[in-house]
Amino acid sequence: RRRDTAAFVLIWLCAVIATCLHLAYGQGSPDRAAHHVGFIAVFVAVILCLAHSMSCACRSLIVMVDVFCGDTLRDRDLQEIAHYWNLTQAVLRKVSVDLGTNLLALCALLALSVPAIIVDFAVLGARSDDMAALLPGVFVTCGILYALLVAAAVSEKCARVPA
């Protein structure tokens, strides 16, 4: 989990630094630049906190399935294994229902961020001085994708557990 936290903090820092670099080399008043950096910092932090909460919850589910598998190898009583698997499935279902809104929000953000990056690229062109403006969106998209990949890992783990 510390690695996930460090990754999300690094993504946030990169997005804020990219915004600062873009504004440092652009035209505009310093007052507006400070407000812009503050807005981007808060906006990106909120989105990445949402993605980080999703990845932390999913990592916990992955650990729970791993513990079940480890206990299954040690215990040979099939009735007890079936009981624990039913409990594990119940917890997985409950958490997946609770995380559904979070997952929907992340998918919606991802669905909106990719076209926004493409439109920004089309409007700004391929000039190197404007490319830094695209980086915060790219970093946020990477953070969301990371959280969704961790969520997919839960399904992948459960698919390997014999029914």
Side-chain angles (χ1 to χ4, degrees):
R1 289 190 195 183
R2 288 181 183 164
R3 185 179 61 197
D4 286 349
T5 303
F8 281 106
V9 169
L10 181 66
I11 290 170
W12 179 78
L13 281 173
C14 289
V16 172
I17 289 170
T19 303
C20 291
L21 288 175
H22 173 67
L23 293 174
Y25 294 112
Q27 305 89 330
S29 69
D31 294 338
R32 291 186 67 199
H35 286 85
H36 185 73
V37 170
F39 174 76
I40 291 293
V42 170
F43 183 70
V44 169
V46 168
I47 292 173
L48 290 179
C49 283
L50 182 68
H52 184 263
S53 68
M54 180 75 164
S55 71
C56 284
C58 291
R59 290 269 184 213
S60 298
L61 295 176
I62 290 170
V63 169
M64 186 176 69
V65 171
D66 285 343
V67 167
F68 169 77
C69 291
D71 289 346
T72 301
L73 292 175
R74 277 184 261 134
D75 193 9
R76 299 290 181 197
D77 183 17
L78 289 179
Q79 282 186 323
E80 193 172 331
I81 290 171
H83 174 71
Y84 284 131
W85 178 240
N86 289 335
L87 287 175
T88 302
Q89 282 183 327
V91 171
L92 289 169
R93 284 189 196 108
K94 173 65 176 146
V95 172
S96 68
V97 166
D98 292 341
L99 288 178
T101 307
N102 193 349
L103 182 63
L104 179 65
L106 286 176
C107 288
L109 285 169
L110 186 65
L112 294 173
S113 67
V114 172
I117 291 169
I118 293 170
V119 168
D120 282 346
F121 185 76
V123 169
L124 294 174
R127 295 186 314 235
S128 62
D129 56 339
D130 288 333
M131 291 303 282
L134 300 176
L135 290 177
V138 171
F139 288 129
V140 168
T141 302
C142 289
I144 293 171
L145 283 173
Y146 180 78
L148 293 177
L149 288 174
V150 172
V154 176
S155 297
E156 191 267 333
K157 277 278 190 200
C158 291
R160 291 184 176 188
V161 176

